[in-house]
Amino acid sequence: AQSVTQPDIHITVSEGASLELRCNYSYGATPYLFWYVQSPGQGLQLLLKYFSGDTLVQGIKGFEAEFKRSQSSFNLRKPSVHWSDAAEYFCAVASGGSYIPTFGRGTSLIVHP
Amino acid sequence: NAGVTQTPKFQVLKTGQSMTLQCAQDMNHNSMYWYRQDPGMGLRLIYYSASEGTTDKGEVPNGYNVSRLNKREFSLRLESAAPSQTSVYFCASSEVPGLGNTIYFGEGSWLTVV
């Protein structure tokens, strides 16, 4: 069965600092990978997704993620964080066994001024 | 663009009461989903409907029923609410059932069962 792990429950960064949120998946073949963001009191919004091809994927709001098959990872990055990036971030994986993504438990991003 | 609309946004129920969460999407999507979100648990799929006329159980279906009323609407019913069903519920939709399709979420319904 597909699964995804987000090892960090909370991440705190200063505004302007770089950011990396970790995501590891469990699935044998190449999975379909997603990052979603949830602002307080809101639903989830897709930041980016990876299916195949270039392993570095660009998303909205200046985010990018890199698929590393050897590490079973799909980490989310942003070079300079803004206070408005404070939110909950979810990694998700879908595979041949189930097209419906399985979500990780989320990482809460706190941004200090 | 309304996207996915859920009602009500907030609800307090007493144990044993029933209620229905309503969801409608205006994107002409074929697939619709109900998730619940609990602290530290991420999102867990309750039920989904791959297309109009079909529904299937997800990871945590116990205590819930669903109805795909038409292509636009997908409701979630709690027949006899329990405190364990206190959660935030999200309705979502995607264009078709298939790998890689983006899932679009509603803004959530906060349900408290006392």
Side-chain angles (χ1 to χ4, degrees):
Chain A
Q2 61 197 31
S3 66
V4 60
T5 301
Q6 294 180 248
D8 303 305
I9 298 174
H10 303 283
I11 291 281
T12 301
V13 299
S14 298
E15 191 170 15
S18 63
L19 170 70
E20 183 170 30
L21 301 182
R22 296 185 291 166
C23 173
N24 294 97
Y25 66 89
S26 173
Y27 181 65
T30 300
Y32 289 68
L33 295 158
F34 309 81
W35 275 101
Y36 282 83
V37 60
Q38 182 183 29
S39 298
Q42 301 295 312
L44 280 71
Q45 179 186 21
L46 181 70
L47 281 176
L48 48 79
K49 57 186 177 181
Y50 171 79
F51 302 153
S52 63
D54 192 347
T55 56
L56 186 62
V57 181
Q58 301 298 321
I60 62 171
K61 305 184 179 186
F63 285 91
E64 66 179 26
E66 186 171 12
F67 170 62
K68 292 186 177 180
R69 183 189 301 276
S70 60
Q71 300 177 17
S72 297
S73 69
F74 188 57
N75 293 348
L76 182 71
R77 302 194 295 246
K78 187 170 185 179
S80 178
V81 170
H82 188 263
W83 63 266
S84 61
D85 293 324
E88 190 88 13
Y89 291 80
F90 292 92
C91 183
V93 61
S95 64
S98 173
Y99 69 87
I100 301 174
T102 297
F103 287 82
R105 297 188 175 190
T107 297
S108 178
L109 175 64
I110 301 165
V111 181
H112 282 314
Chain B
N1 285 338
V4 179
T5 303
Q6 300 178 225
T7 56
K9 195 169 180 69
F10 300 97
Q11 184 73 48
V12 178
L13 284 178
K14 294 182 179 179
T15 297
Q17 286 185 319
S18 63
M19 78 158 296
T20 299
L21 297 175
Q22 306 286 354
C23 175
Q25 51 89 11
D26 62 2
M27 295 174 283
N28 200 35
H29 284 173
N30 288 288
S31 302
M32 298 186 73
Y33 314 84
W34 275 106
Y35 288 89
R36 60 178 289 173
Q37 182 181 29
D38 302 290
M41 300 294 291
L43 274 78
R44 292 182 292 171
L45 183 67
I46 304 171
Y47 271 94
Y48 66 101
S49 172
S51 59
E52 187 178 357
T54 69
T55 60
D56 287 286
K57 296 179 180 179
E59 180 184 355
V60 288
N62 291 345
Y64 305 96
N65 286 302
V66 291
S67 295
R68 184 73 183 267
L69 305 171
N70 48 55
K71 190 173 184 179
R72 289 186 64 247
E73 299 173 287
F74 187 40
S75 63
L76 178 71
R77 183 162 178 83
L78 287 69
E79 291 291 353
S80 179
S84 61
Q85 294 178 304
T86 293
S87 188
V88 183
Y89 291 86
F90 288 96
C91 179
S93 69
S94 64
E95 186 172 358
V96 292
L99 283 170
N101 283 303
T102 299
I103 296 182
Y104 296 85
F105 287 83
E107 294 190 343
S109 296
W110 274 253
L111 176 64
T112 301
V113 183
V114 297

